[in-house]
Amino acid sequence: MSRASGWQLEIDAGVRAVIGQGNLIQLMHAPDMHEVPFCPDYCRHILAWEHGLLPLFDLSVWLRGQPRQRPLSCVGVVAFRGEDPAPRFGALALAAPPKRIDVDDAWACDLPESEMRWQPVCCSCFETGGEPFPILDLRRFFDLRPEPVGP
């Protein structure tokens, strides 16, 4: 058996996911966000971070296609690797601060039929306490190419 640590993300009411321990690099409360016109609802904002701007993605809106049910509590700044070795950064809208979680390989499971909407952005899934937890592949998620909206 192999164990790993990660972060359990509370995305919205009833929407949870997990990312790797090293992916979450900063938690921000009430960050300075700016709306970007003509972007899909789930990636309508950018936020000022360090010396640049980060895309802010709302997984809840992406999954449900409607506004989030719980108010935005905080934003998690994440780091991940793309095809080149340089780190990439983004931000995820969260309904609550993340919680540390330990995961065991023995808990691996298939993504349940009811959770198939996660398939394009997940690398795996595990079950604990009778509940499935999709594991996000941040590169896949941040590489999504949305259909343009607007004029």
Side-chain angles (χ1 to χ4, degrees):
M1 283 195 241
S2 179
R3 293 183 76 87
S5 293
W7 292 101
Q8 177 183 316
L9 306 177
E10 184 79 23
I11 307 295
D12 201 358
V15 181
R16 291 187 197 106
V18 173
I19 60 173
Q21 176 182 340
N23 293 122
L24 182 66
I25 58 172
Q26 186 174 356
L27 194 60
M28 301 172 76
H29 295 277
D32 185 18
M33 299 186 303
H34 305 280
E35 189 168 339
V36 180
F38 306 116
C39 287
D41 290 341
Y42 67 87
C43 61
R44 178 127 325 172
H45 293 89
I46 56 174
L47 73 109
W49 182 72
E50 302 224 347
H51 303 289
L53 300 173
L54 294 179
L56 174 64
F57 282 84
D58 192 326
L59 274 161
S60 175
V61 175
W62 179 76
L63 288 166
R64 295 178 171 157
Q66 58 189 12
R68 65 179 21 258
Q69 295 175 353
R70 290 177 57 193
L72 180 70
S73 167
C74 53
V75 168
V77 176
V78 295
F80 55 98
R81 298 256 181 237
E83 290 184 22
D84 59 25
R88 292 176 53 196
F89 303 94
L92 296 173
L94 302 173
K99 298 176 188 170
R100 288 288 304 242
I101 187 169
D102 287 325
V103 179
D104 194 295
D105 285 348
W107 303 347
C109 68
D110 291 331
L111 199 57
E113 285 292 322
S114 63
E115 303 293 327
M116 292 309 284
R117 64 187 189 261
W118 286 97
Q119 191 167 15
V121 296
C122 283
C123 57
S124 188
C125 186
F126 70 90
E127 185 177 329
T128 183
E131 188 175 351
F133 286 87
I135 300 174
L136 283 177
D137 181 327
L138 293 170
R139 183 178 131 198
R140 277 197 245 168
F141 186 70
F142 282 94
D143 281 348
L144 285 176
R145 296 291 179 242
E147 294 293 321
V149 291

